[in-house]
Amino acid sequence: MPLIEIKSEMSSDQAGAVEDVLLEQGAQNWSVLEDAIARRAWVVGIFPDEAAARAAWAELITQISAGEPELRVLADADWRDSYKAHFKAWQFGRLHWVPVWEREKFQLPAGDAVLWLDPGLAFGTGNHETTRLCVERLVAFDKEFEAKGGKRAKARVIDAGCGSGILALSAALLGFGDVTGFDNDPEAVRVSGENAALNEMVGQVKFFAGDLVGGLKGRSADILLANIQADVLMRFARELVGAVAPGGELVLSGILAKELDQVRAAFAVVTPGWREETRVMGEWSCLALARVN
């Protein structure tokens, strides 16, 4: 079925700020494309029809500065191909995230794991700092878990607000055997399932629709990942903290660096005695809290 692409050029200096707006808004149909050599940038959206595209543009333009948009009809294959130049393989520790079209030529080092990504199937591909901060902490936890002699197969991992399922699937690839992901958007749950199928991991992660109250109720995690915007994290601090098992860890991402102190203060109230670690990457940050009792 043909889709509608809406595309508008903007100053390359604005690209980072516009990406932040899209992330904060959870605007999953929009992306920022950049040509670093030519110093050009565009905001691009993919929608099922022209009416939806124009309505989304009318809302977005109130928050960003960009030129008059261009609309065109494109087939699914055109959509996928247009994104190939903007998604590159990357690695942290023994985990690799690789575009699926590089599958035939990619050589996986012994002992490492790979998650294949397709921008036509995913809301996220790990390119944003918030996702990278989260997965880097997940890999670090994996190393700590191994050093302590823990059994990954019995470790419980929850990805709260799973989006494309990338963090949950990464945890399963690292060997964690009890992995759950949920999102309040049923479409995100569907896409997570598609990404699991792409990686031949159907059934290895339990995905379901739910919010932070219902999704965490009655659950306990050795590592709880929450890559969600800061105001939501603070609003549901007690629910998130309450789902961390003794000796477990809570990883909070989706936090602008300028918001980090506010988030730390909010969680300090409900995590007395917990160990804390923070990291900053560009304009973004994460907060890792380890329960010691």
Side-chain angles (χ1 to χ4, degrees):
M1 179 179 178
L3 300 170
I4 298 296
E5 178 192 76
I6 183 168
K7 182 176 183 179
S8 175
E9 187 163 3
M10 60 187 173
S11 165
S12 61
D13 295 335
Q14 290 183 280
V18 173
E19 280 189 332
D20 295 345
V21 169
L22 298 181
L23 185 69
E24 290 178 25
Q25 295 293 321
Q28 297 162 346
N29 293 79
W30 294 101
S31 297
V32 172
L33 304 183
E34 294 184 76
D35 184 332
I37 297 176
R39 291 191 57 79
R40 299 179 68 187
W42 301 262
V43 59
V44 182
I46 306 293
F47 296 90
D49 54 53
E50 183 175 344
R54 291 193 181 279
W57 175 255
E59 180 179 354
L60 181 63
I61 196 60
T62 64
Q63 305 169 67
I64 69 170
S65 177
E68 188 67 22
E70 298 179 357
L71 278 75
R72 72 181 179 113
V73 178
L74 71 167
D76 186 61
D78 295 332
W79 173 27
R80 293 169 187 266
D81 290 344
S82 70
Y83 281 84
K84 287 186 177 180
H86 303 279
F87 292 96
K88 306 297 182 183
W90 71 282
Q91 171 193 3
F92 187 78
R94 62 185 183 91
L95 185 62
H96 301 252
W97 292 7
V98 182
V100 69
W101 54 83
E102 295 184 10
R103 178 174 258 166
E104 292 185 2
K105 65 180 181 180
F106 180 76
Q107 295 185 351
L108 182 67
D112 286 9
V114 59
L115 189 69
W116 305 109
L117 303 173
D118 185 338
L121 296 177
F123 293 160
T125 59
N127 283 279
H128 200 278
E129 291 93 332
T130 59
T131 310
R132 293 197 178 205
L133 284 165
C134 228
V135 79
E136 287 183 7
R137 188 57 216 156
L138 175 63
V139 172
F141 182 82
D142 171 61
K143 292 180 179 178
E144 294 168 8
F145 200 80
E146 184 177 30
K148 294 176 182 177
K151 296 182 178 179
R152 293 188 188 88
K154 295 184 177 180
R156 298 159 296 176
V157 179
I158 297 176
D159 181 6
C162 61
S164 62
I166 285 180
L167 293 176
L169 293 171
S170 296
L173 277 174
L174 288 171
F176 293 102
D178 186 351
V179 185
T180 301
F182 67 87
D183 201 289
N184 62 1
D185 184 354
E187 179 67 6
V189 177
R190 184 189 67 79
V191 170
S192 294
E194 289 187 348
N195 278 325
L198 177 68
N199 287 276
E200 300 180 351
M201 297 175 66
V202 173
Q204 293 186 39
V205 178
K206 299 179 286 290
F207 290 113
F208 66 93
D211 58 22
L212 287 177
V213 176
L216 294 173
K217 186 176 181 180
R219 297 182 184 274
S220 183
D222 296 297
I223 181 164
L224 174 54
L225 307 165
N227 184 12
I228 307 171
Q229 61 193 62
D231 63 320
V232 176
L233 294 174
M234 291 186 288
R235 192 183 318 145
F236 294 96
R238 291 190 181 276
E239 286 81 2
L240 288 162
V241 169
V244 180
E249 182 165 331
L250 172 62
V251 180
L252 307 171
S253 192
I255 306 167
L256 286 166
K258 63 184 180 183
E259 300 171 325
L260 180 58
D261 288 342
Q262 184 182 4
V263 175
R264 289 173 64 191
F267 276 84
V269 175
V270 291
T271 57
W274 290 35
R275 292 195 307 273
E276 173 191 298
E277 180 182 339
T278 62
R279 283 202 63 201
V280 175
M281 185 180 293
E283 296 180 312
W284 296 91
S285 63
C286 76
L287 172 63
L289 298 163
R291 181 176 174 180
V292 295
N293 56 0

